[in-house]
Amino acid sequence: MAFSDLRAFIIRYQHQLSIGSFFVGFTIDTIILKRIDLLISNLLLFTYLSVVILSMVLLHYAAAHPPRREWWKRVHLYIPFVAQFAFGGMFSGFLIFYSQAGSVIASWPFLLIIVGLLFGNEFLRNYQQRLTYQSLLLFFCFFSFSIYALPIFLGRMGDDVFELSGGAALLLIALFLYLLSFIDHKRVQTSLWNIILGSFVIYGLITALYFSNTLPPIPLALKDIGVYHSIERSESDYVATGEPAPWYARYTGVEVHLRPNDVLYAYSSVFAPTNLATSVVHEWQYYDELRGEWVTEATIPFPISGGRDGGYRGYTTRANLRAGLWRINVETARGQLIGREVFTVIPSSSTPALTTRILR
């Protein structure tokens, strides 16, 4: 195929090829990204980030100095798809990790932002608009990457670590714009204030999501949760007895039959990266029908340490639970929701049929 024919084909099907590039990146992420603290996972996202930066620099250079040599024209033809592939791979990686990190019920605003940003780039054709938009995408990537990379690197979580992540993202986007200004100062100046304003809007939005406990508690992730009639330690595992429930009870809530003075066990397994030590909270809540709201009866914290594939296992107990609707919220110390189990307590005069489960 002649270069002119290839160029015509790419221009004609640019939209479809661009979307295809994104889905290729998404597929690669789905296969490779298994654990957030694995070296290969972070190298992949770091490679995507590097490719995005290099692609934007080359596109900016080509806009300022239109390609004249044949080889440069050929390279320039593919750069937008390489950039879209890298952006798609990076954002799909964020979508995978952030969706694993918390309850969709609490975290959907942030996940919706990621999905929206994935496709917004497709509707911009003007170069100046693309420079502004892609610079803002890059800042979002810097911030999203720093939010989970710094806790892994430092081995702890907290407000100060989050604020450090935001500061690092602002510094990186400033260095990037400084680099672009050497290629074409005038073009960067034209978009500079829009990029600065947009970056601070994104910074403010993500910060608001964090302090409202809507941002997923990355790099933590819930691996397992349940309520049981008993839990005992057996060598390296836990042996739990609980009531059998249909598969859809995970979504509708389980039923628990309790006699007076019976103790109920709430179990959770929370993944944390290697060397990260933090604490989680089991919040026991019942639904007060008269007041029409959830009422907290107990908040029980316990420390966790990272590194185990199946997550750090722990449980809390409560006795004499009143009849009605209950839930266990698994949260970070500052209140970010990691996961939740909903169940209904039904008074009983006898012990219900129980099954045994090994919690590994």
Side-chain angles (χ1 to χ4, degrees):
M1 180 183 291
F3 176 68
S4 58
D5 295 332
L6 177 61
R7 179 181 177 84
F9 174 82
I10 290 177
I11 293 175
R12 181 177 181 181
Y13 295 102
Q14 182 178 11
H15 183 71
Q16 292 87 342
L17 291 172
S18 187
I19 293 177
S21 299
F22 158 71
F23 280 108
V24 170
F26 185 86
T27 302
I28 292 175
D29 285 353
T30 303
I31 296 172
I32 295 179
L33 300 180
K34 301 300 183 183
R35 265 183 58 159
I36 197 170
D37 62 337
L38 291 180
L39 179 61
I40 188 173
S41 299
N42 287 282
L43 280 179
L44 181 61
L45 290 184
F46 184 78
T47 300
Y48 285 146
L49 194 58
S50 301
V51 170
V52 164
I53 293 172
L54 178 61
S55 298
M56 290 183 64
V57 169
L58 292 176
L59 287 172
H60 189 70
Y61 180 84
H65 309 87
R68 294 183 179 180
R69 297 187 178 184
E70 192 67 21
W71 68 270
W72 178 220
K73 290 181 180 179
R74 291 178 180 272
V75 171
H76 178 256
L77 188 63
Y78 296 109
I79 293 177
F81 304 108
V82 173
Q84 184 68 0
F85 166 80
F87 266 127
M90 193 158 42
F91 273 87
S92 60
F94 292 151
L95 189 60
I96 291 171
F97 283 151
Y98 277 88
S99 62
Q100 291 174 349
S103 169
V104 175
I105 296 173
S107 305
W108 67 265
F110 183 76
L111 300 179
L112 188 63
I113 290 173
I114 293 179
V115 174
L117 290 174
L118 280 172
F119 297 101
N121 191 48
E122 289 304 308
F123 300 98
L124 300 175
R125 294 292 177 259
N126 177 271
Y127 170 77
Q128 213 65 47
Q129 290 178 331
R130 279 184 171 272
L131 175 60
T132 301
Y133 187 80
Q134 290 182 347
S135 296
L136 295 180
L137 281 185
L138 185 60
F139 172 72
F140 184 88
C141 292
F142 284 148
F143 204 170
S144 299
F145 186 81
S146 299
I147 285 172
Y148 80 80
L150 282 181
I152 294 174
F153 177 75
L154 298 175
R156 63 186 181 88
M157 300 172 64
D159 294 351
D160 58 334
V161 178
F162 173 81
E163 291 166 357
L164 183 61
S165 302
L170 289 171
L171 177 61
L172 288 172
I173 195 63
L175 290 175
F176 173 75
L177 294 175
Y178 181 71
L179 173 64
L180 283 190
S181 67
F182 281 99
I183 298 174
D184 191 336
H185 181 76
K186 185 176 180 180
R187 286 179 184 270
V188 173
Q189 282 296 112
T190 303
S191 301
L192 184 60
W193 285 109
N194 288 333
I195 296 173
I196 292 175
L197 178 62
S199 296
F200 278 101
V201 168
I202 293 173
Y203 176 85
L205 178 60
I206 294 179
T207 301
L209 291 175
Y210 174 80
F211 284 102
S212 65
N213 292 329
T214 305
L215 192 72
I218 201 167
L220 304 181
L222 185 70
K223 290 296 185 178
D224 193 13
I225 188 172
V227 289
Y228 299 96
H229 284 259
S230 70
I231 296 179
E232 294 181 357
R233 187 69 181 261
S234 176
E235 296 181 354
S236 61
D237 298 322
Y238 289 92
V239 179
T241 59
E243 299 181 40
W247 63 270
Y248 55 81
R250 174 61 63 188
Y251 308 100
T252 61
V254 299
E255 293 183 351
V256 180
H257 296 80
L258 296 178
R259 299 172 302 174
N261 300 319
D262 273 356
V263 175
L264 192 65
Y265 293 69
Y267 168 86
S268 67
S269 178
V270 178
F271 171 82
T274 304
N275 298 325
L276 189 147
T278 185
S279 62
V280 298
V281 172
H282 278 185
E283 183 181 45
W284 293 71
Q285 293 184 319
Y286 72 90
Y287 187 73
D288 190 325
E289 294 185 352
L290 293 178
R291 295 164 60 180
E293 62 183 27
W294 291 95
V295 178
T296 300
E297 182 166 289
T299 300
I300 307 174
F302 57 90
I304 67 171
S305 58
R308 187 175 181 273
D309 280 336
Y312 186 93
R313 298 164 296 178
Y315 63 87
T316 58
T317 63
R318 296 293 295 172
N320 297 316
L321 299 184
R322 68 187 72 189
L325 189 62
W326 285 78
R327 69 184 184 185
I328 303 294
N329 295 326
V330 183
E331 302 177 341
T332 64
R334 70 175 322 279
Q336 291 171 286
L337 184 63
I338 304 171
R340 172 180 291 159
E341 177 80 344
V342 178
F343 59 97
T344 301
V345 172
I346 301 175
S348 176
S349 58
S350 60
T351 302
L354 300 176
T355 59
T356 299
R357 180 188 172 193
I358 305 298
L359 306 173
R360 301 187 184 281

